[in-house]
Amino acid sequence: MLGYILSKINLLIFVVAIFSIVTYFTFGLVEIVKTDQSRLLLRGSSKKLSSILSSSTTCEIVYDVFSPSINVLDRRNYYVVKVTTQEITVDGETVDYLIYSMFDRREYLKDPDGAKSISASSVRTIGSEITLYYWDNCDYTNTCSKDWSDSEETIIDPQSTSQVNTLIYVKELEEGEIKLHVIPCSTSSCGLAKTNVGKIVHNTGPEEDWGFKC
C-alpha cells in the first residue's frame, strides 16, 4: 500500500515538473514572438520614414497606420509607441535620430516614465529639422481639448479613447533643408489633422493659401 502511494506521489511530482517546464518554455516563446513582431512593426515604420527622407521630392506626405494589437497564439497584446528625437555627437559631427519605442500598454499607462520598452527602432535624420506634435487624446490628461502643439514626443495608442493609430509624415524641402513634421492622428480624422497642423506651420498670406502644399 505504501509503495502504491509513493508511486502516485512520484507520478504527481513528475506531472507537475513537466507542466512547469512546458509553461516556462511556452511563456518564453510567447515573449520572443511578441518581441520579434513588435520589432517588425517598428522596422516597417522606420522604412517608411527613411523612404520619405531619402526621396528627391520637395513636398511629400506618407501615412503610417499601426495595427490595433500584436497577436501571439490568439492573444492580443496591446501596446503604446512613443516617438522621440535624440541628438548624438559622433566624431565632432551632430547626428539626429528619430526613435520609436514600444511599450506594453498596461505598464505604460500605469507608469509612463518607468515602463520598460519591448523593442525600439531608429532612423538617422542628418540635415533634417524634425517637429513632433502631440494630440491630447484624453487618456493622459483631463482636458480632452484635442489641440495640436509642438511636443518633445509623439504618442501612438491604438486602444486609446480617440484611437490614435496613425502617424503622418510631412516632408518639405525649403532652401535645401528638409523639414519633417510627425503628426499623430486617428484614421478617421487624419485629413483634418494634416489640415490643422498645416495651418499652424504655414499661416501667412491669404487664409485660403494656409497649410501644407502637398
Side-chain angles (χ1 to χ4, degrees):
M1 185 66 178
L2 181 60
Y4 176 78
I5 294 174
L6 290 176
S7 66
K8 292 300 181 182
I9 292 175
N10 288 334
L11 179 60
L12 178 61
I13 292 173
F14 175 76
V15 171
V16 170
I18 292 298
F19 176 78
S20 299
I21 293 172
V22 171
T23 301
Y24 174 79
F25 280 104
T26 300
F27 177 78
L29 178 62
V30 168
E31 290 301 307
I32 291 172
V33 174
K34 183 171 72 172
T35 300
D36 286 343
Q37 288 195 4
S38 64
R39 188 179 294 115
L40 287 174
L41 187 151
L42 295 184
R43 190 175 298 166
S45 295
S46 299
K47 288 182 178 179
K48 288 181 180 179
L49 179 57
S50 297
S51 175
I52 191 174
L53 289 174
S54 61
S55 70
S56 58
T57 55
T58 57
C59 189
E60 186 175 354
I61 298 176
V62 170
Y63 293 84
D64 185 10
V65 182
F66 288 75
S67 61
S69 62
I70 295 175
N71 301 327
V72 181
L73 299 180
D74 295 327
R75 179 182 177 182
R76 295 182 178 180
N77 297 274
Y78 300 119
Y79 63 86
V80 169
V81 173
K82 181 165 66 174
V83 183
T84 57
T85 59
Q86 185 173 1
E87 186 178 281
I88 300 175
T89 301
V90 180
D91 296 330
E93 179 184 15
T94 300
V95 181
D96 294 317
Y97 286 88
L98 188 141
I99 302 172
Y100 303 86
S101 301
M102 181 179 290
F103 302 86
D104 177 87
R105 187 173 192 270
R106 184 179 299 178
E107 290 186 12
Y108 186 84
L109 293 183
K110 183 178 180 181
D111 184 7
D113 295 325
K116 183 179 179 181
S117 64
I118 300 173
S119 62
S121 183
S122 64
V123 178
R124 192 174 181 178
T125 59
I126 296 178
S128 302
E129 178 184 315
I130 304 173
T131 303
L132 303 178
Y133 296 85
Y134 180 79
W135 191 15
D136 178 4
N137 59 25
C138 307
D139 276 5
Y140 303 99
T141 70
N142 296 320
T143 58
C144 299
S145 63
K146 297 182 180 177
D147 288 336
W148 298 97
S149 60
D150 293 356
S151 175
E152 294 182 355
E153 63 184 33
T154 290
I155 300 295
I156 285 294
D157 184 357
Q159 298 301 319
S160 65
T161 304
S162 49
Q163 195 184 38
V164 184
N165 63 350
T166 305
L167 286 177
I168 307 175
Y169 306 123
V170 182
K171 186 197 78 173
E172 296 183 302
L173 186 63
E174 297 182 2
E175 298 179 354
E177 181 181 23
I178 293 176
K179 295 188 177 181
L180 177 70
H181 303 273
V182 182
I183 310 164
C185 62
S186 169
T187 48
S188 61
S189 61
C190 284
L192 180 61
K194 180 180 76 69
T195 299
N196 288 345
V197 175
K199 289 181 179 179
I200 294 173
V201 177
H202 301 290
N203 55 10
T204 58
E207 188 172 349
E208 60 268 19
D209 294 334
W210 292 5
F212 296 118
K213 307 307 177 185
C214 55

mmCIF file of all heavy atoms in Angstrom, residues 48-49 51-53 55 57-64 166-173 179-183 185 190-191 193-195 197-198 202 211-214:
data_model
loop_
_atom_site.group_PDB
_atom_site.id
_atom_site.type_symbol
_atom_site.label_atom_id
_atom_site.label_comp_id
_atom_site.label_asym_id
_atom_site.label_seq_id
_atom_site.Cartn_x
_atom_site.Cartn_y
_atom_site.Cartn_z
ATOM 1 N N LYS A 48 9.388 53.389 -43.775
ATOM 2 C CA LYS A 48 8.539 54.409 -44.395
ATOM 3 C C LYS A 48 9.150 55.797 -44.200
ATOM 4 O O LYS A 48 9.175 56.612 -45.124
ATOM 5 C CB LYS A 48 7.144 54.364 -43.789
ATOM 6 C CG LYS A 48 6.329 53.158 -44.206
ATOM 7 C CD LYS A 48 4.942 53.178 -43.591
ATOM 8 C CE LYS A 48 4.147 51.949 -44.029
ATOM 9 N NZ LYS A 48 2.794 51.938 -43.423
ATOM 10 N N LEU A 49 9.647 56.048 -43.003
ATOM 11 C CA LEU A 49 10.249 57.356 -42.734
ATOM 12 C C LEU A 49 11.539 57.523 -43.531
ATOM 13 O O LEU A 49 11.784 58.593 -44.110
ATOM 14 C CB LEU A 49 10.527 57.512 -41.236
ATOM 15 C CG LEU A 49 11.176 58.826 -40.817
ATOM 16 C CD1 LEU A 49 10.332 60.016 -41.257
ATOM 17 C CD2 LEU A 49 11.368 58.864 -39.301
ATOM 18 N N SER A 51 12.287 56.227 -46.328
ATOM 19 C CA SER A 51 11.933 56.396 -47.746
ATOM 20 C C SER A 51 11.567 57.839 -48.060
ATOM 21 O O SER A 51 12.033 58.403 -49.055
ATOM 22 C CB SER A 51 10.762 55.472 -48.096
ATOM 23 O OG SER A 51 10.331 55.697 -49.422
ATOM 24 N N ILE A 52 10.790 58.460 -47.199
ATOM 25 C CA ILE A 52 10.374 59.834 -47.466
ATOM 26 C C ILE A 52 11.540 60.809 -47.290
ATOM 27 O O ILE A 52 11.645 61.811 -47.992
ATOM 28 C CB ILE A 52 9.169 60.232 -46.570
ATOM 29 C CG1 ILE A 52 8.562 61.554 -47.040
ATOM 30 C CG2 ILE A 52 9.570 60.352 -45.120
ATOM 31 C CD1 ILE A 52 7.283 61.923 -46.302
ATOM 32 N N LEU A 53 12.446 60.510 -46.358
ATOM 33 C CA LEU A 53 13.597 61.390 -46.139
ATOM 34 C C LEU A 53 14.594 61.313 -47.283
ATOM 35 O O LEU A 53 15.253 62.307 -47.618
ATOM 36 C CB LEU A 53 14.293 61.034 -44.822
ATOM 37 C CG LEU A 53 13.548 61.387 -43.523
ATOM 38 C CD1 LEU A 53 14.297 60.847 -42.319
ATOM 39 C CD2 LEU A 53 13.344 62.891 -43.405
ATOM 40 N N SER A 55 13.897 60.524 -50.466
ATOM 41 C CA SER A 55 13.333 60.831 -51.780
ATOM 42 C C SER A 55 13.715 62.244 -52.203
ATOM 43 O O SER A 55 14.055 63.096 -51.385
ATOM 44 C CB SER A 55 11.805 60.688 -51.753
ATOM 45 O OG SER A 55 11.225 61.721 -50.972
ATOM 46 N N THR A 57 11.726 64.424 -53.632
ATOM 47 C CA THR A 57 10.560 65.294 -53.712
ATOM 48 C C THR A 57 10.722 66.506 -52.801
ATOM 49 O O THR A 57 11.366 66.442 -51.756
ATOM 50 C CB THR A 57 9.289 64.534 -53.299
ATOM 51 O OG1 THR A 57 9.476 63.975 -51.990
ATOM 52 C CG2 THR A 57 8.998 63.416 -54.277
ATOM 53 N N THR A 58 10.105 67.609 -53.194
ATOM 54 C CA THR A 58 10.157 68.833 -52.385
ATOM 55 C C THR A 58 9.046 68.874 -51.350
ATOM 56 O O THR A 58 9.135 69.593 -50.355
ATOM 57 C CB THR A 58 10.059 70.077 -53.271
ATOM 58 O OG1 THR A 58 8.839 70.019 -54.040
ATOM 59 C CG2 THR A 58 11.248 70.148 -54.224
ATOM 60 N N CYS A 59 7.994 68.116 -51.585
ATOM 61 C CA CYS A 59 6.893 68.050 -50.624
ATOM 62 C C CYS A 59 6.226 66.681 -50.761
ATOM 63 O O CYS A 59 5.829 66.288 -51.864
ATOM 64 C CB CYS A 59 5.878 69.172 -50.875
ATOM 65 S SG CYS A 59 4.622 69.326 -49.574
ATOM 66 N N GLU A 60 6.137 65.946 -49.667
ATOM 67 C CA GLU A 60 5.594 64.591 -49.727
ATOM 68 C C GLU A 60 4.932 64.251 -48.394
ATOM 69 O O GLU A 60 5.374 64.676 -47.323
ATOM 70 C CB GLU A 60 6.705 63.586 -50.037
ATOM 71 C CG GLU A 60 6.208 62.170 -50.255
ATOM 72 C CD GLU A 60 7.317 61.217 -50.678
ATOM 73 O OE1 GLU A 60 8.445 61.694 -50.917
ATOM 74 O OE2 GLU A 60 7.056 60.002 -50.768
ATOM 75 N N ILE A 61 3.867 63.458 -48.470
ATOM 76 C CA ILE A 61 3.135 63.033 -47.275
ATOM 77 C C ILE A 61 2.994 61.517 -47.294
ATOM 78 O O ILE A 61 2.628 60.937 -48.317
ATOM 79 C CB ILE A 61 1.744 63.684 -47.207
ATOM 80 C CG1 ILE A 61 1.868 65.208 -47.120
ATOM 81 C CG2 ILE A 61 0.959 63.161 -46.007
ATOM 82 C CD1 ILE A 61 0.534 65.924 -47.144
ATOM 83 N N VAL A 62 3.291 60.878 -46.147
ATOM 84 C CA VAL A 62 3.135 59.433 -46.001
ATOM 85 C C VAL A 62 2.327 59.160 -44.737
ATOM 86 O O VAL A 62 2.578 59.769 -43.691
ATOM 87 C CB VAL A 62 4.501 58.722 -45.918
ATOM 88 C CG1 VAL A 62 4.321 57.258 -45.533
ATOM 89 C CG2 VAL A 62 5.228 58.815 -47.250
ATOM 90 N N TYR A 63 1.362 58.238 -44.845
ATOM 91 C CA TYR A 63 0.542 57.843 -43.697
ATOM 92 C C TYR A 63 1.025 56.485 -43.196
ATOM 93 O O TYR A 63 1.109 55.522 -43.968
ATOM 94 C CB TYR A 63 -0.928 57.763 -44.086
ATOM 95 C CG TYR A 63 -1.543 59.108 -44.424
ATOM 96 C CD1 TYR A 63 -1.413 59.650 -45.705
ATOM 97 C CD2 TYR A 63 -2.237 59.837 -43.463
ATOM 98 C CE1 TYR A 63 -1.966 60.886 -46.018
ATOM 99 C CE2 TYR A 63 -2.796 61.075 -43.773
ATOM 100 C CZ TYR A 63 -2.657 61.592 -45.049
ATOM 101 O OH TYR A 63 -3.200 62.814 -45.348
ATOM 102 N N ASP A 64 1.325 56.414 -41.920
ATOM 103 C CA ASP A 64 1.834 55.182 -41.297
ATOM 104 C C ASP A 64 0.790 54.689 -40.297
ATOM 105 O O ASP A 64 0.663 55.229 -39.196
ATOM 106 C CB ASP A 64 3.164 55.483 -40.598
ATOM 107 C CG ASP A 64 3.828 54.237 -40.028
ATOM 108 O OD1 ASP A 64 3.358 53.126 -40.327
ATOM 109 O OD2 ASP A 64 4.818 54.391 -39.284
ATOM 110 N N THR A 166 -2.281 56.362 -36.113
ATOM 111 C CA THR A 166 -1.613 56.717 -37.363
ATOM 112 C C THR A 166 -0.618 57.850 -37.144
ATOM 113 O O THR A 166 -0.872 58.750 -36.349
ATOM 114 C CB THR A 166 -2.643 57.167 -38.424
ATOM 115 O OG1 THR A 166 -3.633 56.138 -38.584
ATOM 116 C CG2 THR A 166 -1.980 57.447 -39.761
ATOM 117 N N LEU A 167 0.509 57.768 -37.843
ATOM 118 C CA LEU A 167 1.447 58.878 -37.907
ATOM 119 C C LEU A 167 1.442 59.431 -39.324
ATOM 120 O O LEU A 167 1.483 58.676 -40.290
ATOM 121 C CB LEU A 167 2.873 58.433 -37.552
ATOM 122 C CG LEU A 167 3.176 58.155 -36.082
ATOM 123 C CD1 LEU A 167 4.612 57.663 -35.937
ATOM 124 C CD2 LEU A 167 2.954 59.392 -35.232
ATOM 125 N N ILE A 168 1.369 60.750 -39.435
ATOM 126 C CA ILE A 168 1.506 61.401 -40.731
ATOM 127 C C ILE A 168 2.907 61.993 -40.796
ATOM 128 O O ILE A 168 3.305 62.757 -39.914
ATOM 129 C CB ILE A 168 0.482 62.535 -40.911
ATOM 130 C CG1 ILE A 168 -0.938 62.037 -40.648
ATOM 131 C CG2 ILE A 168 0.585 63.118 -42.322
ATOM 132 C CD1 ILE A 168 -1.977 63.140 -40.683
ATOM 133 N N TYR A 169 3.667 61.605 -41.822
ATOM 134 C CA TYR A 169 4.980 62.209 -42.066
ATOM 135 C C TYR A 169 4.822 63.224 -43.196
ATOM 136 O O TYR A 169 4.460 62.851 -44.322
ATOM 137 C CB TYR A 169 6.007 61.153 -42.474
ATOM 138 C CG TYR A 169 6.147 59.998 -41.520
ATOM 139 C CD1 TYR A 169 5.959 58.685 -41.959
ATOM 140 C CD2 TYR A 169 6.487 60.195 -40.189
ATOM 141 C CE1 TYR A 169 6.097 57.612 -41.093
ATOM 142 C CE2 TYR A 169 6.626 59.133 -39.316
ATOM 143 C CZ TYR A 169 6.425 57.841 -39.772
ATOM 144 O OH TYR A 169 6.551 56.780 -38.915
ATOM 145 N N VAL A 170 5.071 64.474 -42.909
ATOM 146 C CA VAL A 170 5.023 65.515 -43.929
ATOM 147 C C VAL A 170 6.432 66.051 -44.112
ATOM 148 O O VAL A 170 7.011 66.634 -43.191
ATOM 149 C CB VAL A 170 4.073 66.670 -43.549
ATOM 150 C CG1 VAL A 170 4.027 67.707 -44.677
ATOM 151 C CG2 VAL A 170 2.674 66.144 -43.254
ATOM 152 N N LYS A 171 7.002 65.835 -45.296
ATOM 153 C CA LYS A 171 8.355 66.334 -45.603
ATOM 154 C C LYS A 171 8.269 67.512 -46.557
ATOM 155 O O LYS A 171 7.620 67.429 -47.606
ATOM 156 C CB LYS A 171 9.214 65.243 -46.229
ATOM 157 C CG LYS A 171 10.665 65.676 -46.431
ATOM 158 C CD LYS A 171 11.400 64.786 -47.408
ATOM 159 C CE LYS A 171 11.046 65.118 -48.849
ATOM 160 N NZ LYS A 171 11.882 64.377 -49.828
ATOM 161 N N GLU A 172 8.920 68.598 -46.164
ATOM 162 C CA GLU A 172 9.006 69.766 -47.032
ATOM 163 C C GLU A 172 10.478 70.140 -47.204
ATOM 164 O O GLU A 172 11.241 70.104 -46.238
ATOM 165 C CB GLU A 172 8.248 70.945 -46.434
ATOM 166 C CG GLU A 172 6.753 70.716 -46.314
ATOM 167 C CD GLU A 172 6.028 71.941 -45.787
ATOM 168 O OE1 GLU A 172 6.372 72.393 -44.675
ATOM 169 O OE2 GLU A 172 5.140 72.447 -46.469
ATOM 170 N N LEU A 173 10.854 70.453 -48.407
ATOM 171 C CA LEU A 173 12.228 70.876 -48.692
ATOM 172 C C LEU A 173 12.224 72.386 -48.893
ATOM 173 O O LEU A 173 11.636 72.897 -49.848
ATOM 174 C CB LEU A 173 12.757 70.162 -49.935
ATOM 175 C CG LEU A 173 14.227 70.397 -50.279
ATOM 176 C CD1 LEU A 173 15.132 69.878 -49.166
ATOM 177 C CD2 LEU A 173 14.576 69.728 -51.609
ATOM 178 N N LYS A 179 12.436 69.699 -43.792
ATOM 179 C CA LYS A 179 11.640 69.929 -42.592
ATOM 180 C C LYS A 179 10.587 68.835 -42.509
ATOM 181 O O LYS A 179 9.754 68.697 -43.404
ATOM 182 C CB LYS A 179 11.010 71.319 -42.624
ATOM 183 C CG LYS A 179 12.042 72.439 -42.563
ATOM 184 C CD LYS A 179 11.400 73.803 -42.405
ATOM 185 C CE LYS A 179 12.484 74.887 -42.266
ATOM 186 N NZ LYS A 179 11.893 76.242 -42.084
ATOM 187 N N LEU A 180 10.683 68.062 -41.448
ATOM 188 C CA LEU A 180 9.799 66.909 -41.281
ATOM 189 C C LEU A 180 8.829 67.161 -40.128
ATOM 190 O O LEU A 180 9.237 67.498 -39.018
ATOM 191 C CB LEU A 180 10.615 65.646 -40.998
ATOM 192 C CG LEU A 180 9.816 64.376 -40.741
ATOM 193 C CD1 LEU A 180 9.134 63.898 -42.019
ATOM 194 C CD2 LEU A 180 10.718 63.271 -40.176
ATOM 195 N N HIS A 181 7.551 66.970 -40.390
ATOM 196 C CA HIS A 181 6.508 67.109 -39.382
ATOM 197 C C HIS A 181 5.923 65.728 -39.104
ATOM 198 O O HIS A 181 5.493 65.039 -40.047
ATOM 199 C CB HIS A 181 5.419 68.076 -39.851
ATOM 200 C CG HIS A 181 5.944 69.439 -40.196
ATOM 201 N ND1 HIS A 181 6.096 70.437 -39.261
ATOM 202 C CD2 HIS A 181 6.378 69.951 -41.377
ATOM 203 C CE1 HIS A 181 6.574 71.528 -39.857
ATOM 204 N NE2 HIS A 181 6.765 71.253 -41.131
ATOM 205 N N VAL A 182 5.916 65.313 -37.837
ATOM 206 C CA VAL A 182 5.401 63.999 -37.439
ATOM 207 C C VAL A 182 4.138 64.231 -36.624
ATOM 208 O O VAL A 182 4.190 64.746 -35.513
ATOM 209 C CB VAL A 182 6.444 63.211 -36.630
ATOM 210 C CG1 VAL A 182 5.899 61.832 -36.268
ATOM 211 C CG2 VAL A 182 7.747 63.070 -37.418
ATOM 212 N N ILE A 183 3.001 63.827 -37.198
ATOM 213 C CA ILE A 183 1.701 64.185 -36.640
ATOM 214 C C ILE A 183 0.909 62.920 -36.291
ATOM 215 O O ILE A 183 0.630 62.092 -37.163
ATOM 216 C CB ILE A 183 0.889 65.009 -37.661
ATOM 217 C CG1 ILE A 183 1.736 66.168 -38.207
ATOM 218 C CG2 ILE A 183 -0.404 65.522 -37.046
ATOM 219 C CD1 ILE A 183 1.182 66.778 -39.474
ATOM 220 N N CYS A 185 -2.577 60.864 -35.309
ATOM 221 C CA CYS A 185 -3.999 61.080 -35.576
ATOM 222 C C CYS A 185 -4.723 59.740 -35.571
ATOM 223 O O CYS A 185 -4.109 58.678 -35.491
ATOM 224 C CB CYS A 185 -4.207 61.784 -36.919
ATOM 225 S SG CYS A 185 -3.617 60.844 -38.345
ATOM 226 N N CYS A 190 -7.465 61.913 -39.891
ATOM 227 C CA CYS A 190 -6.116 62.311 -40.315
ATOM 228 C C CYS A 190 -6.132 63.473 -41.301
ATOM 229 O O CYS A 190 -5.224 64.310 -41.303
ATOM 230 C CB CYS A 190 -5.382 61.115 -40.923
ATOM 231 S SG CYS A 190 -4.788 59.928 -39.684
ATOM 232 N N GLY A 191 -7.158 63.513 -42.139
ATOM 233 C CA GLY A 191 -7.252 64.630 -43.071
ATOM 234 C C GLY A 191 -7.373 65.955 -42.344
ATOM 235 O O GLY A 191 -6.695 66.938 -42.680
ATOM 236 N N ALA A 193 -6.424 66.476 -39.268
ATOM 237 C CA ALA A 193 -5.171 66.672 -38.535
ATOM 238 C C ALA A 193 -4.131 67.343 -39.420
ATOM 239 O O ALA A 193 -3.470 68.307 -39.008
ATOM 240 C CB ALA A 193 -4.650 65.337 -38.030
ATOM 241 N N LYS A 194 -3.966 66.829 -40.628
ATOM 242 C CA LYS A 194 -2.993 67.411 -41.555
ATOM 243 C C LYS A 194 -3.343 68.866 -41.868
ATOM 244 O O LYS A 194 -2.465 69.737 -41.910
ATOM 245 C CB LYS A 194 -2.941 66.591 -42.843
ATOM 246 C CG LYS A 194 -1.956 67.124 -43.878
ATOM 247 C CD LYS A 194 -1.952 66.274 -45.120
ATOM 248 C CE LYS A 194 -3.158 66.510 -45.999
ATOM 249 N NZ LYS A 194 -3.150 67.851 -46.644
ATOM 250 N N THR A 195 -4.615 69.125 -42.065
ATOM 251 C CA THR A 195 -5.059 70.490 -42.373
ATOM 252 C C THR A 195 -4.777 71.439 -41.222
ATOM 253 O O THR A 195 -4.237 72.549 -41.423
ATOM 254 C CB THR A 195 -6.562 70.503 -42.697
ATOM 255 O OG1 THR A 195 -6.811 69.692 -43.847
ATOM 256 C CG2 THR A 195 -7.043 71.920 -42.971
ATOM 257 N N VAL A 197 -2.607 71.166 -38.668
ATOM 258 C CA VAL A 197 -1.178 71.391 -38.444
ATOM 259 C C VAL A 197 -0.598 72.237 -39.572
ATOM 260 O O VAL A 197 0.230 73.123 -39.341
ATOM 261 C CB VAL A 197 -0.419 70.059 -38.313
ATOM 262 C CG1 VAL A 197 1.080 70.304 -38.214
ATOM 263 C CG2 VAL A 197 -0.901 69.294 -37.093
ATOM 264 N N GLY A 198 -1.035 71.982 -40.788
ATOM 265 C CA GLY A 198 -0.549 72.770 -41.916
ATOM 266 C C GLY A 198 -0.837 74.247 -41.746
ATOM 267 O O GLY A 198 -0.007 75.107 -42.095
ATOM 268 N N HIS A 202 2.082 77.002 -41.803
ATOM 269 C CA HIS A 202 2.057 77.990 -42.879
ATOM 270 C C HIS A 202 0.794 78.851 -42.732
ATOM 271 O O HIS A 202 -0.290 78.453 -43.182
ATOM 272 C CB HIS A 202 2.056 77.291 -44.250
ATOM 273 C CG HIS A 202 3.241 76.415 -44.486
ATOM 274 N ND1 HIS A 202 4.514 76.914 -44.672
ATOM 275 C CD2 HIS A 202 3.354 75.060 -44.560
ATOM 276 C CE1 HIS A 202 5.361 75.913 -44.868
ATOM 277 N NE2 HIS A 202 4.680 74.774 -44.795
ATOM 278 N N GLY A 211 -1.514 76.310 -44.995
ATOM 279 C CA GLY A 211 -1.423 74.852 -44.943
ATOM 280 C C GLY A 211 -0.267 74.309 -45.758
ATOM 281 O O GLY A 211 0.475 75.045 -46.419
ATOM 282 N N PHE A 212 -0.082 72.976 -45.690
ATOM 283 C CA PHE A 212 0.961 72.304 -46.455
ATOM 284 C C PHE A 212 0.640 72.380 -47.950
ATOM 285 O O PHE A 212 -0.522 72.416 -48.344
ATOM 286 C CB PHE A 212 1.085 70.840 -46.031
ATOM 287 C CG PHE A 212 1.533 70.668 -44.602
ATOM 288 C CD1 PHE A 212 0.712 70.040 -43.674
ATOM 289 C CD2 PHE A 212 2.773 71.118 -44.180
ATOM 290 C CE1 PHE A 212 1.122 69.853 -42.364
ATOM 291 C CE2 PHE A 212 3.190 70.961 -42.872
ATOM 292 C CZ PHE A 212 2.365 70.314 -41.954
ATOM 293 N N LYS A 213 1.659 72.354 -48.769
ATOM 294 C CA LYS A 213 1.497 72.493 -50.218
ATOM 295 C C LYS A 213 1.362 71.157 -50.926
ATOM 296 O O LYS A 213 1.359 71.094 -52.151
ATOM 297 C CB LYS A 213 2.667 73.294 -50.807
ATOM 298 C CG LYS A 213 2.914 74.638 -50.121
ATOM 299 C CD LYS A 213 1.656 75.506 -50.038
ATOM 300 C CE LYS A 213 1.932 76.802 -49.287
ATOM 301 N NZ LYS A 213 0.672 77.597 -49.096
ATOM 302 N N CYS A 214 1.285 70.090 -50.191
ATOM 303 C CA CYS A 214 1.124 68.765 -50.807
ATOM 304 C C CYS A 214 0.139 67.921 -50.015
ATOM 305 O O CYS A 214 -0.308 68.315 -48.960
ATOM 306 C CB CYS A 214 2.454 68.046 -50.906
ATOM 307 S SG CYS A 214 3.350 67.867 -49.344
#
